[in-house]
Amino acid sequence: MKIVYLHQYFRTPDMSGGTRSYEFARRLVRNGHDVHVVTSDTDAAPDARRTWRTTVEAGAVVHWAAVPYRNAMSARDRLSAFGQFARLAATRAASLEQDVVFATSTPLTIALPAVYSSRRRRSPMVLEVRDLWPEVPIALGALRSPLTRRAATALEGWAYRNAAHVVALSPGMAAGVRARHPGAAVTVVPNGCDRALFADADAAGQALRARTPWLGDRPLILYAGTLGFVNDVGYLVRMAATLRRDRPDVRVAIVGQGAETARVRELATRADVLGRNLFMFDQMPKTEVVAFFGACDLAVSTVRDEPALHANSANKVFDGWAAGRPVAVNHEGWIADVLRRSGAGLVLPPADSAAAAELAGAFVTDPARTAAARTAARAVAATEFDRDLLFESFEAVLSRAVAPRSALSAIG
């Protein structure tokens, strides 16, 4: 198949951020498909807008549009970046030969260039949903006016109507799509565990501990991801304050950047935990963050206490399991169900960070419990969320989308 893969925030392992699209793109190439990725160069200088550069990443041709983007941007600047990329990507995608165009959100505006290319090239479009629209932005207060809510709802419906198939990252997201659009064809392909990338996590973690005086052989709780409004990383700061009082040997590490970085740092300073039992690090490439996962005793994924966020499929959860580490979340939903069923981590109370600190602190200081949870984490990574297993479902969705067109071509 000739596949045009649209993802505004495509990342390779040498960059910070999630690498789902990279991992799927390279596997598509490995299986003989021709893959062109259309994405944005978010680190481009502001005066470089409307320019393109092209690279080859693991056999996939990647087209980078110079559209700067930061999590710390204002809502207006973010919307501007979404619009700029949609315009540039539409023209570039439609210029490429394609049997199918695959578009992954967020943002949902990725559907605009995808549908344009699909119609111009008369190719099917497959849409991947990483967040439920418009439920999540409404719950977070990003869409406050009736006009913006109606516009978001209209864009969502239009995107689904134009999709030959929808890929959802969790059962909850799939249920949300089906509830609003009963006729939609939906397949769940969750985020996955890149076990090969994390194969040396244990050794890398030991090396990190050996060269890090504040850590040494102390228990470590890790948050590695975006520090955005939705993530509520202040929850970890509040946990650290309780841990410093009750379990001063436990360390908390936060690795990442985002709109809330300065606020989290200020909270940690006011709580007198920064540089004492809580340590903050800038975002780093996926290949480097492996050492932090390998060093930790518990990887944590936090979100605000909003039911609309319970369907999330955070990369950091699967990276923790890929490294053979227990994971904790502070919300209900399908990930919490997996944790309770498998024993591969903990479910922390969403509104009580002190109780969460007690649960997590007792866990990471109990070698027998952490050892059992590590075994469970490795089992979950290998049997349920291995990237190669999930890729088979992903590739099958694209093949089914192309099949009707191929049959018509054969008849003609």
Side-chain angles (χ1 to χ4, degrees), residues 179-399:
R180 295 175 64 86
H181 305 277
V186 186
T187 297
V188 177
V189 184
N191 269 324
C193 297
D194 299 309
R195 295 194 297 144
L197 178 63
F198 286 88
D200 296 325
D202 287 346
Q206 290 172 5
L208 176 64
R209 284 180 172 277
R211 66 175 182 268
T212 307
W214 59 261
L215 179 56
D217 60 358
R218 299 176 181 88
L220 177 63
I221 297 171
L222 171 69
Y223 176 92
T226 302
L227 279 68
F229 176 78
V230 67
N231 308 106
D232 190 24
V233 182
Y235 181 94
L236 270 295
V237 175
R238 296 188 292 274
M239 281 181 58
T242 300
L243 287 167
R244 188 181 175 212
R245 182 193 66 207
D246 298 340
R247 298 181 185 271
D249 226 27
V250 176
R251 297 292 183 255
V252 178
I254 297 173
V255 180
Q257 267 188 344
E260 296 282 293
T261 299
R263 178 178 172 275
V264 171
R265 188 176 294 276
E266 181 185 358
L267 287 173
T269 300
R270 289 209 308 262
D272 198 26
V273 295
L274 187 63
R276 295 181 180 275
N277 69 324
L278 183 146
F279 300 83
M280 294 182 67
F281 301 88
D282 203 352
Q283 63 184 12
M284 60 185 67
K286 194 75 168 279
T287 52
E288 294 180 20
V289 81
V290 166
F292 279 86
F293 277 101
C296 81
D297 298 286
L298 183 67
V300 179
S301 177
T302 60
V303 295
R304 291 194 172 276
D305 188 15
E306 290 287 350
L309 299 173
H310 292 177
N312 79 83
S313 186
N315 284 299
K316 61 184 76 68
V317 169
F318 302 90
D319 289 345
W321 287 334
R325 295 301 182 269
V327 171
V329 300
N330 69 336
H331 57 82
E332 293 298 324
W334 78 288
I335 293 293
D337 293 341
V338 173
L339 288 170
R340 291 189 176 106
R341 167 175 54 78
S342 67
L346 304 173
V347 180
L348 305 175
D352 192 342
S353 57
E358 176 55 32
L359 287 171
F363 178 83
V364 299
T365 55
D366 186 333
R369 289 183 68 193
T370 56
R374 285 188 183 190
T375 299
R378 290 190 175 94
V380 165
T383 62
E384 297 188 47
F385 300 110
D386 180 84
R387 186 79 75 182
D388 285 325
L389 293 175
L390 298 175
F391 170 73
E392 294 177 7
S393 297
F394 174 79
E395 185 182 30
V397 168
L398 299 183
S399 297

Side-chain angles (χ1 to χ4, degrees), residues 21-39:
S21 293
Y22 168 86
E23 294 295 341
F24 279 166
R26 75 175 182 86
R27 284 169 171 81
L28 288 168
V29 171
R30 180 196 65 192
N31 284 8
H33 304 295
D34 182 13
V35 181
H36 283 255
V37 178
V38 180
T39 188

Side-chain angles (χ1 to χ4, degrees), residues 1-6 24-25 27-29 33-35 99-103 124-128 164-167 187 189 391-406:
M1 291 182 289
K2 291 181 172 63
I3 302 164
V4 172
Y5 200 133
L6 285 161
F24 279 166
R27 284 169 171 81
L28 288 168
V29 171
H33 304 295
D34 182 13
V35 181
D99 296 312
V100 61
V101 57
F102 176 81
M125 188 268 282
V126 175
L127 179 66
E128 181 171 82
H165 206 100
V166 176
V167 172
T187 297
V189 184
F391 170 73
E392 294 177 7
S393 297
F394 174 79
E395 185 182 30
V397 168
L398 299 183
S399 297
R400 287 197 300 270
V402 171
R405 184 187 184 201
S406 300

